Amino acid sequence: MDVLPIQDMANAYIEHAMVINNFVTTIGNQLKSSLCRVFGDGVKYKWMENNNHPVIPDASINCDIKNRRSTNFLGVPRFIMEVLSDATEPYDRNEKMELYKKVEVAEYWIVDWRKKQVEIYVLSPDENSIDDAQYRLLATITEQNKSELKMHMFPNVKIDFEQLFDGID
């Protein structure tokens, strides 16, 4: 597997940052009394599956925050969200998705602020292999089915479509 480099997102659209901020703010308030925490795109993860090179998701929910070394988390978050941009879409859909599957991130959202769309993937056992799991697309959420937006790994945590895309025209 190719090592995923840290990418400079300095040229990302403001809308990209708004979606991340909306998610972190909304979810963070709901997780305050739990062992889990939500993090924005400044948090790095290092895993052997990526030759210990840091990976920075746009947002993650980590319930193992003590498993860290220096400025990097070593444990696997239960949830990761990537917000697409023209520059990162192939990377988020391919290399990052493959890495997240390999380390067994349970739920992965791909958010496209340009289309106001959320793809929700959940890790499921691979029927053809005892050891492997695959991401299964559970839903693609748009304006038409926005009431179906929910977190599967955190069913008591709520974020609605309008909250996620607040400020996006």
Side-chain angles (χ1 to χ4, degrees):
M1 175 178 199
D2 292 332
V3 173
L4 301 180
I6 295 176
Q7 292 192 342
D8 179 10
M9 293 301 300
N11 292 327
Y13 283 88
I14 297 299
E15 290 84 356
H16 184 272
M18 289 172 74
V19 170
I20 296 166
N21 187 56
N22 292 342
F23 182 84
V24 169
T25 302
T26 302
I27 302 303
N29 289 331
Q30 296 176 64
L31 291 176
K32 280 186 179 178
S33 61
S34 78
L35 296 174
C36 302
R37 293 290 178 265
V38 63
F39 296 97
D41 59 356
V43 172
K44 295 183 283 187
Y45 291 89
K46 279 189 175 183
W47 302 307
M48 289 183 348
E49 292 83 353
N50 195 37
N51 296 326
N52 287 316
H53 290 280
V55 149
I56 303 173
D58 286 331
S60 60
I61 299 176
N62 191 334
C63 302
D64 187 19
I65 62 173
K66 292 184 191 264
N67 188 5
R68 60 186 174 193
R69 184 172 305 122
S70 183
T71 60
N72 302 290
F73 282 119
L74 304 176
V76 176
R78 292 179 58 195
F79 173 94
I80 286 181
M81 178 181 79
E82 295 290 356
V83 180
L84 299 179
S85 65
D86 292 338
T88 66
E89 184 167 1
Y91 181 62
D92 293 337
R93 290 189 178 283
N94 297 297
E95 292 93 344
K96 274 190 167 180
M97 187 178 216
E98 187 63 31
L99 176 62
Y100 298 157
K101 179 183 76 169
K102 191 175 271 191
V103 298
E104 298 185 350
V105 173
E107 185 169 350
Y108 180 40
W109 284 15
I110 296 178
V111 178
D112 190 334
W113 62 267
R114 302 160 299 187
K115 296 178 182 176
K116 287 192 178 179
Q117 175 178 296
V118 181
E119 296 172 24
I120 300 173
Y121 295 89
V122 174
L123 202 61
S124 300
D126 185 345
E127 298 164 5
N128 301 318
S129 171
I130 295 172
D131 298 326
D132 290 334
Q134 297 294 325
Y135 276 124
R136 182 169 50 100
L137 178 62
L138 288 186
T140 300
I141 308 298
T142 63
E143 185 72 38
Q144 285 68 41
N145 63 341
K146 64 185 177 183
S147 64
E148 296 175 30
L149 183 65
K150 66 179 180 177
M151 302 188 73
H152 294 269
M153 293 301 116
F154 298 92
N156 296 324
V157 174
K158 307 292 184 217
I159 185 166
D160 65 38
F161 194 82
E162 284 78 15
Q163 286 172 313
L164 185 62
F165 293 107
D166 185 43
I168 310 293
D169 294 327

